[in-house]
Amino acid sequence: MLDDIIIGQYIERDSFIHSLDPRIKILVIIFFIITIFLINAFTGYLFLAFFILVTVLLSKIKVKYIIKSIRPLIFIISFTLIVHLFMTRGGQIIWEWRFLKIEEEGLRMGLFMSLRLIFLVSYTSLLTLTTSPLALTDGLESLLKPFEKIGLPAHELAMMMSIALRFIPTLLEEAQKIMKAQKARGADFESGNLINKAKSLIPLLVPLFVNAFRRADDLALAMEARCYRGGEGRSRMNALLLVNKDYIVLALSFVYLISVGIFL
Amino acid sequence: MSLINIENLHYRYNSKGNWVLKEVDLEVNSGEFVVIVGHNGSGKSTLAKMLNGLLIPTEGDIEINGRSTKDRDNIWNIRQQVGMVFQNPDNQLIANIVEEDVAFGPENLGLESMKIRDRVDWALKEVGMEEFKRHAPHNLSGGQKQRIAIAGVLAMKPKCLVLDEPTAMLDPLGRKSVISTIEKLNKSLGMTVVHITHFMNEAIKADRIIVMDGGRVALEGTPKDIFAKVNQIKKYNLDLPQVAQLALELQKSGLDLPDDIFEVDRLVNLLCSLK
C-alpha cells in the first residue's frame, strides 16, 4: 500500500541538487513555472526541455521516476490535447472528416498546453524527489516567515505538515489493521457497485477517525510535556544555512527569469 | 530538600465530579527510584500528569524543587525538570526522523544548534539507540520507540523522569529493554525515576514502592516491606511478582527460605544450596 504513493516520495542520493538549500529549490521552481507560462514558441520549449534534462542529470534521479510521476496525469494531458485539437479554431485546416476538423491553431495550442503540463509536473516532482519532507517543510516555513506579519501562521502550517507526514505511515498501518479486523467480522470491502463499495468503507473510516482524534490528543499532551509553546523562542538543530552554491544557483535562475522575460 | 513534594493533594476533573485523588502526601528525593503501582482507576496516571503541571491540583500543592506547579510562571521550568514518557509509543513521537524527534525538546528550549546536536547524540547513546538516529520511527519496534521517547526527554536534561506505564503496550522483549534502560539511567546518571505501572514485576528493583488504590496512597515502603503484605496486596487487585509468589508457596510447604526473594537468580541459587 505504501509503494503506491508517489506524491512526496523522497529518493536519497548524493547529488548537487540534493545538497541545495530547500528554499533555493522552491524559488527556482517558482521562477521556472513563471517562464513555462511566459514562453510561447517551440524553440523556447526545446530550451525548457533541455533545462529539465540537465537538472535531472544533476540530481542523479532515474528518468523512470520522472515518467512515473507524470503517469497519473496522462488522462488530463490527453484530454487537454484533444479538446484543443478539435475546439480551437484558426489557421489552415490540417485534417477533416465529416464534422470533425483540426486546424493549425488547435494543433499548436494543444501541443503547447500538454507540454506545459508535462514540464510543470516533472519539474515539481523533481523537488519532492530530491528534498526530504522535513527539509521541504523547513524551507516553506522560512520562506513564509515574512508573511507572519500579515497574520499567516507560517510555523503552525509547517508543524502541521510535518506531523501529517509523520503520521501517514502510522495511519495507513492502522487502516490495514482495522480492515483485517472488520473482514474477520464478515465485512465485505470488494464486491458491489461504487456506491456499495463507498458505503462499506464506513466501518473502516469511523474507527480510524476516532483513533486519529485520540492520537492527536495524546500527541498534544506529549508536545506540551516537552515544553512546546509554538514557534516563538524555538531554535533548530539543523538550521537552514545558505552557502555559496545556493547563492550562485539563485543568481543564475534570476538571470534566466529576466532573460526569458526580455527575449520572449 | 526533596525534589518532589506533594502536600495534601486533592484532584477532580470537574467541580461536580468524584475526587480522583484524595489526601495524597508524597515526597520523592533526588536520585531515588520510586515505583507507583495500582490497578486501573487507582489515580496513578492522573498523579503522573500532575507532576509536571499538565494537570493542576484542585486542592493542596505540588512543589518541584521548591516551585509550585500552580504558579504558571514556573510551568516551563518544571516541565524541563520533570520529563515525562507516556504509554503509547506511536503517539508521542513528533518527527519522522529519530534524531529530529529527540531534538524536539531542546529545540523548544531555544538552545543553540551545536548544543542540541551534542545533547541528541548523548541522549541516543544513553538509551542505546545511536545507530538508529537516521531511521524513521514507524519502522522501529515498540520497545525501540519507547527508548527514543526516553531519549527525547533526556535531551532536555531533566532532574526527574516520570514514566506513565511505558511498558503497557509492549511485548515482553521490548518491556525488558525499556526497564533495563530505566534502571541503567537511575544507576549511572543518578536520575530520579518515578515509574508508574501495574506490573509488580517491574517494582522489584525500586528503592520504594507506592501502592495506589481509589485515589489514595494505600501502602508505601521498600519492595521487601510491600511484598510481605501479601493479603493487603491481593485486596488492591495486585499480584506479587511470580518469583516472590513461588518462594512464598515453597515457604508455606515447609522449605527453609528467607522472605526477600524477588529475583529468579536468587531463588535458583538458594534452592540449589538447600539440598
Side-chain angles (χ1 to χ4, degrees):
Chain A
M1 210 162 171
L2 271 173
D3 301 333
D4 301 340
I5 297 170
I6 320 153
I7 306 161
Q9 197 185 48
Y10 167 62
I11 297 171
E12 193 150 345
R13 293 267 189 285
D14 181 25
S15 84
F16 177 72
I17 304 287
H18 281 74
S19 70
L20 281 176
D21 190 284
R23 288 171 290 181
I24 301 296
K25 284 194 257 190
I26 295 170
L27 286 177
V28 170
I29 295 260
I30 293 173
F31 289 166
F32 188 79
I33 291 172
I34 295 172
T35 58
I36 285 180
F37 288 99
L38 280 178
I39 291 176
N40 228 338
F42 274 110
T43 43
Y45 283 158
L46 224 60
F47 177 67
L48 286 181
F50 175 73
F51 194 84
I52 292 178
L53 198 70
V54 170
T55 323
V56 172
L57 287 178
L58 276 175
S59 72
K60 295 185 186 167
I61 298 270
K62 283 185 187 138
V63 183
K64 186 178 86 184
Y65 287 107
I66 311 289
I67 295 170
K68 219 171 151 185
S69 66
I70 302 173
R71 207 182 289 154
L73 287 157
I74 289 263
F75 174 75
I76 297 176
I77 292 169
S78 33
F79 184 75
T80 320
L81 182 66
I82 288 165
V83 167
H84 274 292
L85 271 184
F86 293 106
M87 298 304 200
T88 310
R89 296 276 168 257
Q92 284 182 321
I93 295 170
I94 298 171
W95 181 83
E96 203 175 1
W97 180 73
R98 297 199 185 165
F99 61 93
L100 290 175
K101 251 196 297 193
I102 297 180
E103 291 175 10
E104 218 173 42
E105 193 62 21
L107 183 66
R108 218 173 74 93
M109 279 307 285
L111 283 176
F112 275 12
M113 277 312 192
S114 21
L115 274 176
R116 277 177 182 170
L117 279 173
I118 291 171
F119 288 157
L120 205 70
V121 174
S122 53
Y123 214 64
T124 42
S125 68
L126 255 176
L127 175 70
T128 52
L129 284 168
T130 63
T131 319
S132 77
L134 212 74
L136 206 58
T137 48
D138 276 358
L140 275 177
E141 179 179 353
S142 114
L143 279 179
L144 293 177
K145 203 109 219 166
F147 299 102
E148 268 187 346
K149 286 204 178 67
I150 56 164
L152 188 88
H155 168 76
E156 284 75 9
L157 277 175
M159 182 55 81
M160 269 160 59
M161 263 177 74
S162 62
I163 288 176
L165 284 167
R166 146 81 182 85
F167 276 93
I168 286 174
T170 310
L171 290 178
L172 274 177
E173 211 173 280
E174 184 162 22
Q176 275 168 335
K177 217 183 274 173
I178 295 172
M179 211 163 187
K180 276 182 197 150
Q182 303 289 34
K183 271 184 186 164
R185 292 175 174 80
D188 181 7
F189 291 106
E190 268 116 34
S191 56
N193 57 20
L194 209 60
I195 294 168
N196 278 338
K197 266 187 193 166
K199 267 188 190 160
S200 70
L201 282 179
I202 292 172
L204 171 69
L205 291 178
V206 171
L208 194 64
F209 269 86
V210 171
N211 270 341
F213 279 113
R214 196 168 296 148
R215 274 181 203 283
D217 212 29
D218 278 4
L219 190 72
L221 210 62
M223 286 170 78
E224 242 187 282
R226 280 161 80 180
C227 289
Y228 180 70
R229 54 199 126 162
E232 219 152 296
R234 197 172 132 79
S235 60
R236 297 307 310 267
M237 177 171 70
N238 297 320
L240 294 175
L241 217 74
L242 292 173
V243 290
N244 279 342
K245 62 181 170 194
D246 294 315
Y247 289 117
I248 293 170
V249 168
L250 186 65
L252 282 178
S253 58
F254 202 66
V255 169
Y256 157 82
L257 178 68
I258 299 289
S259 52
V260 167
I262 291 172
F263 293 116
L264 295 157
Chain B
M1 195 178 59
S2 50
L3 182 63
I4 299 175
N5 195 5
I6 304 176
E7 255 172 57
N8 193 30
L9 168 72
H10 288 70
Y11 184 74
R12 53 183 171 185
Y13 280 94
N14 55 57
S15 56
K16 281 180 194 135
N18 294 327
W19 291 101
V20 184
L21 292 170
K22 283 169 278 194
E23 295 164 37
V24 179
D25 281 288
L26 275 179
E27 266 183 33
V28 178
N29 294 312
S30 208
E32 217 180 350
F33 190 158
V34 177
V35 172
I36 300 178
V37 289
H39 71 101
N40 293 339
S42 60
K44 57 190 195 304
S45 282
T46 309
L47 181 62
K49 286 189 193 120
M50 316 226 60
L51 294 179
N52 68 350
L54 287 174
L55 296 175
I56 305 296
T58 317
E59 279 170 33
D61 215 358
I62 297 182
E63 282 181 359
I64 312 292
N65 239 346
R67 296 170 197 241
S68 164
T69 61
K70 275 182 172 167
D71 187 348
R72 293 313 277 179
D73 293 339
N74 292 336
I75 208 76
W76 302 112
N77 185 288
I78 285 171
R79 286 191 186 154
Q80 183 261 316
Q81 289 191 25
V82 181
M84 192 147 169
V85 177
F86 296 87
Q87 188 184 74
N88 190 325
D90 274 318
N91 297 358
Q92 54 183 321
L93 300 179
I94 291 115
N96 47 11
I97 295 173
V98 165
E99 61 172 8
E100 288 284 343
D101 185 81
V102 177
F104 183 75
E107 283 177 346
N108 288 334
L109 299 177
L111 301 173
E112 297 159 44
S113 64
M114 282 300 288
K115 211 168 175 186
I116 300 177
R117 164 65 57 196
D118 287 347
R119 282 191 180 194
V120 168
D121 289 344
W122 168 79
L124 282 171
K125 206 167 176 180
E126 286 296 330
V127 300
M129 290 294 290
E130 68 264 52
E131 58 192 299
F132 293 95
K133 67 178 183 181
R134 299 294 303 165
H135 283 237
H138 66 92
N139 290 329
L140 302 176
S141 74
Q144 287 172 326
K145 281 183 218 169
Q146 217 51 323
R147 273 147 68 199
I148 301 293
I150 294 174
V153 170
L154 269 189
M156 295 170 72
K157 299 253 177 181
K159 295 227 164 60
C160 174
L161 213 56
V162 177
L163 304 109
D164 184 8
E165 300 198 47
T167 59
M169 298 179 74
L170 304 182
D171 55 45
L173 251 145
R175 196 169 291 164
K176 219 171 167 180
S177 77
V178 168
I179 293 298
S180 65
T181 305
I182 301 170
E183 284 169 359
K184 193 197 126 208
L185 292 175
N186 175 252
K187 283 223 174 65
S188 67
L189 299 178
M191 180 70 69
T192 316
V193 173
V194 178
H195 177 193
I196 290 152
T197 180
H198 58 258
F199 297 114
M200 269 294 193
N201 279 338
E202 295 175 357
I204 294 165
K205 291 229 173 102
D207 294 326
R208 190 148 55 101
I209 297 179
I210 291 157
V211 179
M212 300 274 300
D213 186 67
R216 290 170 202 272
V217 175
L219 288 172
E220 192 179 343
T222 62
K224 199 176 157 184
D225 296 340
I226 299 289
F227 296 152
K229 297 174 181 163
V230 184
N231 293 326
Q232 262 178 294
I233 288 179
K234 289 260 154 72
K235 202 175 81 192
Y236 301 130
N237 283 326
L238 294 166
D239 286 317
L240 277 184
Q242 281 176 342
V243 178
Q245 184 101 37
L246 177 62
L248 192 80
E249 296 295 328
L250 289 173
Q251 233 178 5
K252 268 191 205 159
S253 58
L255 281 185
D256 180 25
L257 290 170
D259 284 334
D260 56 340
I261 305 172
F262 320 125
E263 279 145 332
V264 179
D265 294 350
R266 199 173 131 100
L267 182 61
V268 170
N269 285 337
L270 281 167
L271 286 177
C272 288
S273 64
L274 265 182
K275 52 170 184 177

